[in-house]
Amino acid sequence: MATEVASVDGDAGLAQATWSVKQTRALFAAEPESFDVDEASQATHIQVKFRARYADVPELKPSQLKKAKVAKVPTNIPVLPTPEPIEADAVVADTTPAEDGDADVVGKAVDALAKTQAAAAASSSTNAALVEYKKESNFSAQFAAGSSTALVRRRHAHEVPKPQWHAPWKLKRVIAGHLGWVRSVAVDPTNEWFVTGSADRTIKVWDLASGQLKLTLTGHINAIRGLAVSDRHPYLFSCSEDKKVLCWDLEYNKVIRSYHGHLSGVFCLKVHPTLDVLVTGGRDAVARVWDMRTKQQIHVLSGHQGTVWCLETQPTDPQILSGAADGTVKLWDLAAGKAMTTLTNHKKAVRAMACSPNDHSFLTGAADNLKKWQTRDGKFLRNFSGHNAIVNAVAMNQDNVAVSCADNGTMRFWDYTTGYNFQKEATIVQPGSLDSEAGIYAATFDKTGLRFITAEADKTIKVWQEDASATPETHPIDMAAWTKEYTAPKRF
């Protein structure tokens, strides 16, 4: 009895094992007649593997590919449908033994998966580029939609401003009379006469129309380096290397005040246009502000590390501008007596300075360059390049003509608006003088801006005026040279 029970249990176990093997074969190695069910299984398997490996690679629509303008983008990556869940009753258990065709079915499925993976790998580099483009496209769309920043049109290199045409200047008159270098010049507010100061220790008054000598003033014991005529008083101010600053009464032609305080030679002098204030600068590296009538010193503007070579005054802040041998330009607050801004762009001593009569800007001259600045805050505007010499004098008129005069006698005439150098000139020394005396120490325009006066090392004063016969056709603007200079890399 026990033997029969064991035989029955053994048969049941064998039947159960046989059924399990058949069930496994039915699931993973079905016969050709039941291939429809296994094909779906294999497709699901391939989809799962494909999604697991390439889920991070984005898929671009054809419209997005056209916008991206990507050449030869492969489009053979299959877009597989979302797999449908397999019903439990779709798996049919088959008890038929497996045959040789089962291995071929599995091999075909593996080959199909390998080909799909190879195609996806071949397009991975292109897909990476498309990912970057998609990021940029999304950023551009967000910027266009949400940003309020205005797009500013940038000026291209070919947009070169056209300079204003100016007639060339020519020498009109040479005035002789001084016995030493002429170091300073100033014009009367009525535009009837002008004064010059010389190394011969005299101040001479000349008729502007005829060039005739009207008066000679003596009182200094060294070279006169600065002159200024007051617009509101009958006063002439002079400064000299003898440390003196004198006030002359032009009704009596004599000295009525002397301003004491400088510790060395005084090289520049300016009168304030609206206040009764006088500003002087010199070798003691300070600019001193004087009360014109009481002779009291109001401020000592200290901060420069070298000789103060040039000064400018104006009715609005900054009311005083100074340039010095340390290569700096300072803009001063007259009320506080302190520097508002210090400009350090120059690499050489700043020996000349002039304010524009048309706008709030000024020009400084040094051996390295001429530089144009905005007066209000000292913003640098542009370089005037090409005058490679020690610039001693700079002047401007109402027609936007700027002139720079150098220690070697060279002169450069500029269009002040654009910085175009429309004329190069050189002074001619007088007979009997050395070639080394072809230097210009001071220069100024008259009140009309039609005559230009230079004080020179050959002991003469020269008067220049525009050539009335010149036209834009006879003296055209050299746009080729100007374009080349304007677009060349600038060094500051």
Side-chain angles (χ1 to χ4, degrees), residues 2-26:
T3 304
E4 293 179 357
V5 172
S7 177
V8 171
D9 292 340
D11 294 340
L14 180 60
Q16 182 68 27
T18 303
W19 182 87
S20 297
V21 171
K22 290 183 178 181
Q23 186 73 5
T24 302
R25 288 179 178 177

Side-chain angles (χ1 to χ4, degrees), residues 420-434:
Y420 170 65
N421 181 205
F422 67 89
Q423 183 182 358
K424 298 179 180 179
E425 195 66 55
T427 188
I428 301 174
V429 297
Q430 293 306 295
S433 300
L434 302 175

Side-chain angles (χ1 to χ4, degrees), residues 76-134:
N76 56 356
I77 300 176
V79 180
L80 299 179
T82 304
E84 298 180 358
I86 301 176
E87 299 292 339
D89 56 359
V91 180
V92 180
D94 192 355
T95 57
T96 306
E99 297 181 358
D100 296 337
D102 298 339
D104 295 338
V105 172
V106 176
K108 291 179 180 179
V110 172
D111 292 342
L113 177 61
K115 291 180 180 179
T116 304
Q117 293 175 352
S123 62
S124 60
S125 59
T126 304
N127 288 332
L130 294 178
V131 169
E132 296 298 328
Y133 174 78
K134 188 173 182 180

Side-chain angles (χ1 to χ4, degrees), residues 234-273:
Y235 296 154
L236 167 68
F237 297 91
S238 63
C239 62
S240 171
E241 294 178 4
D242 59 7
K243 310 178 189 178
K244 291 182 180 180
V245 180
L246 302 180
C247 175
W248 303 78
D249 189 335
L250 296 177
E251 293 181 351
Y252 298 97
N253 298 328
K254 65 178 184 180
V255 177
I256 59 173
R257 297 185 188 94
S258 181
Y259 304 90
H260 297 281
H262 275 286
L263 305 178
S264 188
V266 188
F267 290 167
C268 53
L269 176 148
K270 284 290 179 180
V271 176
H272 197 281

